[in-house]
Structures are given as structure tokens and as C-alpha cells.
Amino acid sequence: MLKTTTLGFIVTALLLTTGQAMAAAHAASAADPAKAKAVDALIKEANVERKKAASVGGEWRDIGKMLKKAAAAKDKHDYATATKLATKAKRQGELGHGQAVSQSVFKTPSYLKY
Amino acid sequence: MKNIKTAFLATSSVMVLAGALSFTSVAMAAGAKVAESSVDEGQTLAFTRKKGNCLACHAIVGGKAAGNIGPPLIAMKARYQDDKAKLRAQIYDAEVANPETAMPPFGRLEALSGAEIDKITDFIWTL
Amino acid sequence: MNKLMTTALVLTVGAGLSMSATASTPTEDNNAIKKYFNVKFPKVADTEYVNGVYAVDPIGRESWEAIEDFPPYETFIDEGKAMWDTPFANGKTYKDCFPDGPVLAHKYPHWNAEKKMVMTLPLALNNCRTVNKEKPLKYKKGAINNIMSYISWESRGKVTNVVIPEGDEGALAAYKAGQKFYFQKRGQLNFSCATCHMQNAGQKLRSDVLSPALGHTTHFPVYRSKWGTVGTLHRRFSGCNKQVRAKPFKAQGEEYRNLEYFLTHMSNGLELNGPGARK
């Protein structure tokens, strides 16, 4: 009697947790137009920064790839990853631009003696 | 009915106790291990090419085929006058101390996160 | 008449003085760079720099000299000769475009005053192809390396002599743009070309010795073991930029052609020694 009851509880618990996991997975792959729109806006901003950096010859290597991955993640409804990538890409655009601007005037290095 | 109730109480109390015990042991271990794991993680980050890649330029005990663009990383506490924050600042942005340095500004250009720099600092500080 | 001449003389001298106070001339740049490397590597003769990293890496030099007994770029030279000798579909040949060819490499890069741009050899080769209705070659990988290897081999011993035409502002601007590029920090890792190839030439990056900038352009195109094939100078520019996490520029685009102009000028006086074989 006890054995079957305990077994019953274990099975129920297992079913509940699996069910929860499935529900969670389902939630991640569900389309969310509001979140998608937010990601689109972020990708757009990142591209603005990227173009700014490129205009002064300061674009970094991975920005383009990150934005491609962000768009792909968004299409799979993985908005968290998409946001993370787009944010990083935007930041790199800003940093690359700042770096190029800070280098805009050529200065002879001190180790070259004229 | 009584049997189900007993079974449920027994199972759940055992589970709660087990959970509590494991949580406590992890918490206790965590307190003692934070510093150690940070140093270990710092070494891994320092030796990883896509992260610190410190061996590209610096000889470091435990690392092989190190470059010699920068000085060997030894006697760090003496070299930094016991000022760990000064070491962290150097890793964050070496250009502050030397505008013509070859060293990448890992923090300023965000090649490493703040947490990663903390761990690397913890490791380098032990050298 | 005399008063006019005196005034003119005073003005010119004054202008010259004020200019040298702010900017160095290309010749002064070369002298400063040569002096820098002579001080850094006092035992290395100027002529040795055509051997690239092996001028300053005696251990690497031994294995390199062994490799040069059976150079990995040989087949590329042969393929290149076949390209040079084979007429285009319209019956014309490269020789029709370049009467002095294949001994050509020392004439490039040069300032094209008419087109107001730096002309490089790969660009000139493709111009020849296009004019003769042939498909242009890609600039980093593939057949360009064959014909470049052949021309480079035939041009060995010719002396680098990049001229920046006196008074041509466009040429000087292109040189200065290349110079600025060379010393500019770029990419997330914040390196300039000069960081490795001037400031730290001869030092080791992991196990690899950093080659000096002086002499770099004398041994291209280059067979790189890492590539398993021959590649162009602009392919190497592109790779270096990617290594420091900068987005590379277009091969044979303005940035890299100006960079090539500056970099080759730096090696003025050095003999061409291509194709090269490197790690």
C-alpha cells in the first residue's frame, strides 16, 4: 500500500517537473511581437554606431557577425540572446568610433629620433 | 488515507532536510573557496587566447611558450608596492601609466568584463 | 629684379623652416626608421633586412634556409610563367601591356598623377586583363599569386625605389595617409602595425619572433606555411587587421594601397627578394 502510494507520488512529481520544463521551453520559442520590435530597434541603433565607426575607419572585426547572430536569435524568438548580442555590438561600435577619433592626428612615436 | 498522509509527510520532510543540509554544506564550502576558485579561474582566463592571452607577451609560471614583449610576471606584490588596485588598473588600461604601451586596454575597450579582470587580478597578484 | 628674388628666397626659406618644424619629410622618416633599426639590431646590416624576420631570428633562419633549398613557392612561379606566356582570348599578352615585363615589381607601387591614386602591381595586372576583356583576378587568394610570384622572382635583385613626386600634393597626402594608418591603433586589441613591427620587432609573440617593418615589402608575395599557399601583401594586411580584432579593409582599396605606398617607400634602397617563404 505504502509502496504504491510512494510510487504514485514519484510519478506525479516527475510528470509535474517535465510538464513545467516543457511549458518553459514552449514559452522561449513563442513569438513576442513587442520583444521582437525592441530587438529590431536595438539592432538598428547598433548599425548606426557601426556605420559611424566605419566612417572613421574604426569598425571592429566582430560587430557584423554579432548583428547577424542577433537577428537569427530574434527569428528563433530567443530575445534574451538577441538583446545581449545587439547590445554588445552597439557598444563595440561606440568604442571603435571613439578609438579612431582619439587617433585622428598622427603623432611620431617617441622611439623614432629625427 | 492515513498511509498516504504519512508517506507524503515522510517524503517531503526527508527532502527538505536533504535540501537544507546540501545547501548549508555548499554555502560553507563557498565561503572558504571563493578566493581559491577566483585565482584558478583567473589563471584559466589569463592563459586563454580569446580572453587575457597574457602568455602572448608575458612569461608566467605554469605557462609555456610565453612571449617576451612585456616583462615576466613575477614578484608582483613588490613591483606594485602591495597595491592590488594599482595592478587591476594596469590590466584595465595600461595606457594610463604609459601612453605608448603595447598592452591592450582590456577594461577600457571591454575585451574583458569587470568580473574577468577581477579574477585575473586575483591570479596575477599571487605571482 | 634682385629685390624680387631676395623676397622670394626669404619667403621660401621661411616656408621651409616652418614646415620642417611641424612635419617630417618622407626622406627624414626613412632615415629615422633606419636609425631606429640600426640601434635596435646593431649587428644586422641594412641589406639583411630583405630576409625579413630571419634577419633578426637566427634560430628560425636555419630552418628557413633549409626550406629555401626546395622553396614552396616554386610551383607558383611556374604557374605564373604559364600565365604570362599564354595569350588572352583576343591574342594579346601581358607583355603588350608591360613591354618591360616580367621584370616589373620594382616599378610598383607608384603614384599615378593622372588618376591621382597609388597604382599597385596587382591593380595594374587586372587593368591589363580588363582592357583585354579577361576576367579580373581576386586580390588575396588564387591565380593573382601565380603571376605575382613569377614577376616577383624575375624582379629579384631590383632595388626598391618608391618616388613621391616633388610638389605633388596628392602623392604626399597618400604617403601621409599610409603613414598615419601604419601608426594608428586599431581593433579591440588596440595595436598598430608599428606596435609589433617597429616597437617590438625582434621580440617574441608567444613563440613567434616579430619581423621588422624594414624590408617587409621586399619579399611578397609570400608562401606562408599557415596558409599552405602563396598570398599577397594585401591578404596579409587583412589578416593582421583581423588578428587585432579590427574589421579589415578592402584588398586593393585606398587604405591598403596608401599603406603599401608608405611601407614600400620605407624599404627604398633594399633589393627585392620575393617570393618569400615564411611560417
Side-chain angles (χ1 to χ4, degrees), chain B residues 41-71:
Chain B
E41 284 172 43
Q43 179 176 37
T44 305
L45 287 165
F47 286 6
T48 301
R49 193 178 60 84
K50 289 191 175 179
K51 291 290 179 181
N53 197 23
C54 309
L55 291 168
C57 304
H58 296 282
I60 301 171
V61 168
K64 291 200 176 99
N68 63 2
I69 293 167

PDB file of all heavy atoms in Angstrom, chain B residues 41-71:
ATOM      1  N   GLU B  41      40.229  30.464 -11.647  1.00  0.00           N
ATOM      2  CA  GLU B  41      39.516  30.977 -12.824  1.00  0.00           C
ATOM      3  C   GLU B  41      40.336  32.071 -13.494  1.00  0.00           C
ATOM      4  O   GLU B  41      40.362  32.183 -14.714  1.00  0.00           O
ATOM      5  CB  GLU B  41      38.145  31.519 -12.418  1.00  0.00           C
ATOM      6  CG  GLU B  41      37.126  30.421 -12.142  1.00  0.00           C
ATOM      7  CD  GLU B  41      35.826  30.975 -11.559  1.00  0.00           C
ATOM      8  OE1 GLU B  41      35.358  32.023 -12.073  1.00  0.00           O
ATOM      9  OE2 GLU B  41      35.291  30.369 -10.613  1.00  0.00           O
ATOM     10  N   GLY B  42      41.008  32.866 -12.652  1.00  0.00           N
ATOM     11  CA  GLY B  42      41.859  33.926 -13.186  1.00  0.00           C
ATOM     12  C   GLY B  42      42.994  33.369 -14.024  1.00  0.00           C
ATOM     13  O   GLY B  42      43.325  33.912 -15.074  1.00  0.00           O
ATOM     14  N   GLN B  43      43.572  32.268 -13.568  1.00  0.00           N
ATOM     15  CA  GLN B  43      44.658  31.658 -14.338  1.00  0.00           C
ATOM     16  C   GLN B  43      44.134  31.146 -15.677  1.00  0.00           C
ATOM     17  O   GLN B  43      44.764  31.346 -16.713  1.00  0.00           O
ATOM     18  CB  GLN B  43      45.303  30.511 -13.565  1.00  0.00           C
ATOM     19  CG  GLN B  43      46.423  29.852 -14.362  1.00  0.00           C
ATOM     20  CD  GLN B  43      47.149  28.778 -13.583  1.00  0.00           C
ATOM     21  OE1 GLN B  43      46.547  28.042 -12.813  1.00  0.00           O
ATOM     22  NE2 GLN B  43      48.450  28.679 -13.782  1.00  0.00           N
ATOM     23  N   THR B  44      42.973  30.494 -15.630  1.00  0.00           N
ATOM     24  CA  THR B  44      42.384  29.995 -16.879  1.00  0.00           C
ATOM     25  C   THR B  44      42.142  31.137 -17.845  1.00  0.00           C
ATOM     26  O   THR B  44      42.463  31.050 -19.028  1.00  0.00           O
ATOM     27  CB  THR B  44      41.074  29.258 -16.580  1.00  0.00           C
ATOM     28  OG1 THR B  44      41.336  28.226 -15.620  1.00  0.00           O
ATOM     29  CG2 THR B  44      40.492  28.636 -17.842  1.00  0.00           C
ATOM     30  N   LEU B  45      41.578  32.237 -17.332  1.00  0.00           N
ATOM     31  CA  LEU B  45      41.318  33.399 -18.185  1.00  0.00           C
ATOM     32  C   LEU B  45      42.621  33.983 -18.727  1.00  0.00           C
ATOM     33  O   LEU B  45      42.720  34.341 -19.899  1.00  0.00           O
ATOM     34  CB  LEU B  45      40.560  34.474 -17.401  1.00  0.00           C
ATOM     35  CG  LEU B  45      39.089  34.192 -17.112  1.00  0.00           C
ATOM     36  CD1 LEU B  45      38.564  35.145 -16.043  1.00  0.00           C
ATOM     37  CD2 LEU B  45      38.251  34.322 -18.375  1.00  0.00           C
ATOM     38  N   ALA B  46      43.632  34.046 -17.875  1.00  0.00           N
ATOM     39  CA  ALA B  46      44.921  34.607 -18.286  1.00  0.00           C
ATOM     40  C   ALA B  46      45.553  33.768 -19.395  1.00  0.00           C
ATOM     41  O   ALA B  46      46.169  34.303 -20.312  1.00  0.00           O
ATOM     42  CB  ALA B  46      45.867  34.697 -17.093  1.00  0.00           C
ATOM     43  N   PHE B  47      45.379  32.457 -19.317  1.00  0.00           N
ATOM     44  CA  PHE B  47      46.017  31.555 -20.277  1.00  0.00           C
ATOM     45  C   PHE B  47      45.163  31.281 -21.514  1.00  0.00           C
ATOM     46  O   PHE B  47      45.618  30.613 -22.433  1.00  0.00           O
ATOM     47  CB  PHE B  47      46.377  30.220 -19.606  1.00  0.00           C
ATOM     48  CG  PHE B  47      47.550  30.289 -18.672  1.00  0.00           C
ATOM     49  CD1 PHE B  47      48.152  31.499 -18.355  1.00  0.00           C
ATOM     50  CD2 PHE B  47      48.055  29.137 -18.095  1.00  0.00           C
ATOM     51  CE1 PHE B  47      49.238  31.554 -17.478  1.00  0.00           C
ATOM     52  CE2 PHE B  47      49.140  29.179 -17.219  1.00  0.00           C
ATOM     53  CZ  PHE B  47      49.724  30.386 -16.903  1.00  0.00           C
ATOM     54  N   THR B  48      43.941  31.797 -21.542  1.00  0.00           N
ATOM     55  CA  THR B  48      43.062  31.533 -22.682  1.00  0.00           C
ATOM     56  C   THR B  48      43.279  32.588 -23.755  1.00  0.00           C
ATOM     57  O   THR B  48      43.196  33.791 -23.479  1.00  0.00           O
ATOM     58  CB  THR B  48      41.580  31.533 -22.232  1.00  0.00           C
ATOM     59  OG1 THR B  48      41.423  30.528 -21.237  1.00  0.00           O
ATOM     60  CG2 THR B  48      40.650  31.236 -23.401  1.00  0.00           C
ATOM     61  N   ARG B  49      43.525  32.125 -24.970  1.00  0.00           N
ATOM     62  CA  ARG B  49      43.891  33.039 -26.050  1.00  0.00           C
ATOM     63  C   ARG B  49      42.819  34.082 -26.323  1.00  0.00           C
ATOM     64  O   ARG B  49      43.122  35.236 -26.584  1.00  0.00           O
ATOM     65  CB  ARG B  49      44.160  32.230 -27.330  1.00  0.00           C
ATOM     66  CG  ARG B  49      44.848  33.020 -28.441  1.00  0.00           C
ATOM     67  CD  ARG B  49      45.141  32.150 -29.659  1.00  0.00           C
ATOM     68  NE  ARG B  49      43.945  31.567 -30.251  1.00  0.00           N
ATOM     69  CZ  ARG B  49      43.162  32.190 -31.124  1.00  0.00           C
ATOM     70  NH1 ARG B  49      43.429  33.407 -31.506  1.00  0.00           N
ATOM     71  NH2 ARG B  49      42.100  31.574 -31.618  1.00  0.00           N
ATOM     72  N   LYS B  50      41.555  33.669 -26.259  1.00  0.00           N
ATOM     73  CA  LYS B  50      40.495  34.623 -26.597  1.00  0.00           C
ATOM     74  C   LYS B  50      40.137  35.542 -25.439  1.00  0.00           C
ATOM     75  O   LYS B  50      39.326  36.446 -25.599  1.00  0.00           O
ATOM     76  CB  LYS B  50      39.234  33.867 -27.047  1.00  0.00           C
ATOM     77  CG  LYS B  50      39.408  33.216 -28.404  1.00  0.00           C
ATOM     78  CD  LYS B  50      38.088  32.710 -28.963  1.00  0.00           C
ATOM     79  CE  LYS B  50      38.315  32.193 -30.379  1.00  0.00           C
ATOM     80  NZ  LYS B  50      37.092  31.665 -30.981  1.00  0.00           N
ATOM     81  N   LYS B  51      40.751  35.280 -24.297  1.00  0.00           N
ATOM     82  CA  LYS B  51      40.461  36.119 -23.118  1.00  0.00           C
ATOM     83  C   LYS B  51      41.681  36.984 -22.828  1.00  0.00           C
ATOM     84  O   LYS B  51      41.990  37.886 -23.581  1.00  0.00           O
ATOM     85  CB  LYS B  51      40.058  35.240 -21.932  1.00  0.00           C
ATOM     86  CG  LYS B  51      38.713  34.578 -22.131  1.00  0.00           C
ATOM     87  CD  LYS B  51      37.577  35.601 -22.069  1.00  0.00           C
ATOM     88  CE  LYS B  51      36.215  34.968 -22.293  1.00  0.00           C
ATOM     89  NZ  LYS B  51      35.132  35.977 -22.257  1.00  0.00           N
ATOM     90  N   GLY B  52      42.374  36.740 -21.757  1.00  0.00           N
ATOM     91  CA  GLY B  52      43.518  37.579 -21.426  1.00  0.00           C
ATOM     92  C   GLY B  52      44.687  37.372 -22.369  1.00  0.00           C
ATOM     93  O   GLY B  52      45.374  38.310 -22.749  1.00  0.00           O
ATOM     94  N   ASN B  53      44.901  36.092 -22.711  1.00  0.00           N
ATOM     95  CA  ASN B  53      46.015  35.751 -23.602  1.00  0.00           C
ATOM     96  C   ASN B  53      47.332  36.355 -23.106  1.00  0.00           C
ATOM     97  O   ASN B  53      48.166  36.792 -23.902  1.00  0.00           O
ATOM     98  CB  ASN B  53      45.720  36.214 -25.039  1.00  0.00           C
ATOM     99  CG  ASN B  53      46.614  35.545 -26.059  1.00  0.00           C
ATOM    100  OD1 ASN B  53      47.161  34.471 -25.825  1.00  0.00           O
ATOM    101  ND2 ASN B  53      46.789  36.186 -27.201  1.00  0.00           N
ATOM    102  N   CYS B  54      47.519  36.359 -21.816  1.00  0.00           N
ATOM    103  CA  CYS B  54      48.664  37.052 -21.220  1.00  0.00           C
ATOM    104  C   CYS B  54      49.994  36.454 -21.679  1.00  0.00           C
ATOM    105  O   CYS B  54      51.002  37.167 -21.784  1.00  0.00           O
ATOM    106  CB  CYS B  54      48.561  37.026 -19.702  1.00  0.00           C
ATOM    107  SG  CYS B  54      46.954  37.601 -19.090  1.00  0.00           S
ATOM    108  N   LEU B  55      49.985  35.126 -21.941  1.00  0.00           N
ATOM    109  CA  LEU B  55      51.230  34.457 -22.349  1.00  0.00           C
ATOM    110  C   LEU B  55      51.742  34.942 -23.704  1.00  0.00           C
ATOM    111  O   LEU B  55      52.887  34.688 -24.057  1.00  0.00           O
ATOM    112  CB  LEU B  55      51.027  32.935 -22.397  1.00  0.00           C
ATOM    113  CG  LEU B  55      50.823  32.262 -21.043  1.00  0.00           C
ATOM    114  CD1 LEU B  55      50.345  30.822 -21.232  1.00  0.00           C
ATOM    115  CD2 LEU B  55      52.124  32.286 -20.229  1.00  0.00           C
ATOM    116  N   ALA B  56      50.900  35.639 -24.441  1.00  0.00           N
ATOM    117  CA  ALA B  56      51.353  36.178 -25.732  1.00  0.00           C
ATOM    118  C   ALA B  56      52.563  37.080 -25.520  1.00  0.00           C
ATOM    119  O   ALA B  56      53.488  37.107 -26.330  1.00  0.00           O
ATOM    120  CB  ALA B  56      50.223  36.941 -26.410  1.00  0.00           C
ATOM    121  N   CYS B  57      52.551  37.797 -24.400  1.00  0.00           N
ATOM    122  CA  CYS B  57      53.600  38.793 -24.162  1.00  0.00           C
ATOM    123  C   CYS B  57      54.380  38.601 -22.870  1.00  0.00           C
ATOM    124  O   CYS B  57      55.453  39.180 -22.727  1.00  0.00           O
ATOM    125  CB  CYS B  57      52.993  40.196 -24.152  1.00  0.00           C
ATOM    126  SG  CYS B  57      52.082  40.590 -25.644  1.00  0.00           S
ATOM    127  N   HIS B  58      53.825  37.851 -21.926  1.00  0.00           N
ATOM    128  CA  HIS B  58      54.423  37.758 -20.600  1.00  0.00           C
ATOM    129  C   HIS B  58      54.754  36.334 -20.206  1.00  0.00           C
ATOM    130  O   HIS B  58      53.934  35.431 -20.384  1.00  0.00           O
ATOM    131  CB  HIS B  58      53.450  38.290 -19.539  1.00  0.00           C
ATOM    132  CG  HIS B  58      53.122  39.736 -19.661  1.00  0.00           C
ATOM    133  ND1 HIS B  58      53.975  40.738 -19.234  1.00  0.00           N
ATOM    134  CD2 HIS B  58      52.028  40.361 -20.159  1.00  0.00           C
ATOM    135  CE1 HIS B  58      53.404  41.905 -19.461  1.00  0.00           C
ATOM    136  NE2 HIS B  58      52.226  41.721 -20.017  1.00  0.00           N
ATOM    137  N   ALA B  59      55.967  36.146 -19.640  1.00  0.00           N
ATOM    138  CA  ALA B  59      56.306  34.860 -19.055  1.00  0.00           C
ATOM    139  C   ALA B  59      55.575  34.746 -17.720  1.00  0.00           C
ATOM    140  O   ALA B  59      55.617  35.667 -16.910  1.00  0.00           O
ATOM    141  CB  ALA B  59      57.813  34.752 -18.831  1.00  0.00           C
ATOM    142  N   ILE B  60      54.894  33.620 -17.533  1.00  0.00           N
ATOM    143  CA  ILE B  60      54.127  33.389 -16.310  1.00  0.00           C
ATOM    144  C   ILE B  60      54.393  31.964 -15.863  1.00  0.00           C
ATOM    145  O   ILE B  60      54.307  31.036 -16.679  1.00  0.00           O
ATOM    146  CB  ILE B  60      52.613  33.569 -16.551  1.00  0.00           C
ATOM    147  CG1 ILE B  60      52.295  34.982 -17.059  1.00  0.00           C
ATOM    148  CG2 ILE B  60      51.823  33.267 -15.279  1.00  0.00           C
ATOM    149  CD1 ILE B  60      50.859  35.161 -17.518  1.00  0.00           C
ATOM    150  N   VAL B  61      54.705  31.790 -14.575  1.00  0.00           N
ATOM    151  CA  VAL B  61      54.937  30.447 -14.047  1.00  0.00           C
ATOM    152  C   VAL B  61      53.709  29.582 -14.314  1.00  0.00           C
ATOM    153  O   VAL B  61      52.585  29.994 -14.037  1.00  0.00           O
ATOM    154  CB  VAL B  61      55.240  30.513 -12.528  1.00  0.00           C
ATOM    155  CG1 VAL B  61      55.180  29.126 -11.906  1.00  0.00           C
ATOM    156  CG2 VAL B  61      56.594  31.133 -12.293  1.00  0.00           C
ATOM    157  N   GLY B  62      53.936  28.394 -14.870  1.00  0.00           N
ATOM    158  CA  GLY B  62      52.839  27.496 -15.195  1.00  0.00           C
ATOM    159  C   GLY B  62      52.417  27.591 -16.650  1.00  0.00           C
ATOM    160  O   GLY B  62      51.662  26.753 -17.137  1.00  0.00           O
ATOM    161  N   GLY B  63      52.905  28.617 -17.353  1.00  0.00           N
ATOM    162  CA  GLY B  63      52.573  28.779 -18.760  1.00  0.00           C
ATOM    163  C   GLY B  63      53.747  28.417 -19.645  1.00  0.00           C
ATOM    164  O   GLY B  63      54.898  28.616 -19.258  1.00  0.00           O
ATOM    165  N   LYS B  64      53.440  27.900 -20.842  1.00  0.00           N
ATOM    166  CA  LYS B  64      54.511  27.501 -21.757  1.00  0.00           C
ATOM    167  C   LYS B  64      54.543  28.424 -22.971  1.00  0.00           C
ATOM    168  O   LYS B  64      53.543  29.044 -23.335  1.00  0.00           O
ATOM    169  CB  LYS B  64      54.268  26.051 -22.223  1.00  0.00           C
ATOM    170  CG  LYS B  64      54.461  25.006 -21.141  1.00  0.00           C
ATOM    171  CD  LYS B  64      54.690  23.616 -21.743  1.00  0.00           C
ATOM    172  CE  LYS B  64      54.980  22.613 -20.651  1.00  0.00           C
ATOM    173  NZ  LYS B  64      53.791  21.808 -20.264  1.00  0.00           N
ATOM    174  N   ALA B  65      55.710  28.438 -23.626  1.00  0.00           N
ATOM    175  CA  ALA B  65      55.885  29.181 -24.883  1.00  0.00           C
ATOM    176  C   ALA B  65      55.403  30.621 -24.755  1.00  0.00           C
ATOM    177  O   ALA B  65      54.611  31.091 -25.570  1.00  0.00           O
ATOM    178  CB  ALA B  65      55.153  28.468 -26.007  1.00  0.00           C
ATOM    179  N   ALA B  66      55.871  31.279 -23.736  1.00  0.00           N
ATOM    180  CA  ALA B  66      55.449  32.653 -23.496  1.00  0.00           C
ATOM    181  C   ALA B  66      56.241  33.635 -24.345  1.00  0.00           C
ATOM    182  O   ALA B  66      57.392  33.389 -24.690  1.00  0.00           O
ATOM    183  CB  ALA B  66      55.620  32.994 -22.024  1.00  0.00           C
ATOM    184  N   GLY B  67      55.620  34.734 -24.674  1.00  0.00           N
ATOM    185  CA  GLY B  67      56.312  35.803 -25.382  1.00  0.00           C
ATOM    186  C   GLY B  67      57.105  36.651 -24.416  1.00  0.00           C
ATOM    187  O   GLY B  67      57.043  36.465 -23.199  1.00  0.00           O
ATOM    188  N   ASN B  68      57.869  37.590 -24.989  1.00  0.00           N
ATOM    189  CA  ASN B  68      58.685  38.460 -24.143  1.00  0.00           C
ATOM    190  C   ASN B  68      58.529  39.933 -24.511  1.00  0.00           C
ATOM    191  O   ASN B  68      59.435  40.732 -24.335  1.00  0.00           O
ATOM    192  CB  ASN B  68      60.163  38.051 -24.214  1.00  0.00           C
ATOM    193  CG  ASN B  68      60.727  38.200 -25.623  1.00  0.00           C
ATOM    194  OD1 ASN B  68      60.039  38.635 -26.553  1.00  0.00           O
ATOM    195  ND2 ASN B  68      61.998  37.859 -25.782  1.00  0.00           N
ATOM    196  N   ILE B  69      57.348  40.274 -25.005  1.00  0.00           N
ATOM    197  CA  ILE B  69      57.094  41.674 -25.332  1.00  0.00           C
ATOM    198  C   ILE B  69      56.957  42.484 -24.054  1.00  0.00           C
ATOM    199  O   ILE B  69      57.386  43.638 -23.967  1.00  0.00           O
ATOM    200  CB  ILE B  69      55.813  41.791 -26.193  1.00  0.00           C
ATOM    201  CG1 ILE B  69      56.069  41.146 -27.568  1.00  0.00           C
ATOM    202  CG2 ILE B  69      55.376  43.227 -26.340  1.00  0.00           C
ATOM    203  CD1 ILE B  69      54.818  40.922 -28.377  1.00  0.00           C
ATOM    204  N   GLY B  70      56.347  41.888 -23.059  1.00  0.00           N
ATOM    205  CA  GLY B  70      56.227  42.529 -21.758  1.00  0.00           C
ATOM    206  C   GLY B  70      57.138  41.841 -20.764  1.00  0.00           C
ATOM    207  O   GLY B  70      57.727  40.803 -21.055  1.00  0.00           O
ATOM    208  N   PRO B  71      57.268  42.416 -19.551  1.00  0.00           N
ATOM    209  CA  PRO B  71      58.135  41.813 -18.537  1.00  0.00           C
ATOM    210  C   PRO B  71      57.522  40.523 -17.992  1.00  0.00           C
ATOM    211  O   PRO B  71      56.309  40.337 -18.049  1.00  0.00           O
ATOM    212  CB  PRO B  71      58.179  42.887 -17.441  1.00  0.00           C
ATOM    213  CG  PRO B  71      56.928  43.666 -17.603  1.00  0.00           C
ATOM    214  CD  PRO B  71      56.596  43.641 -19.054  1.00  0.00           C
TER     215      PRO B  71
END
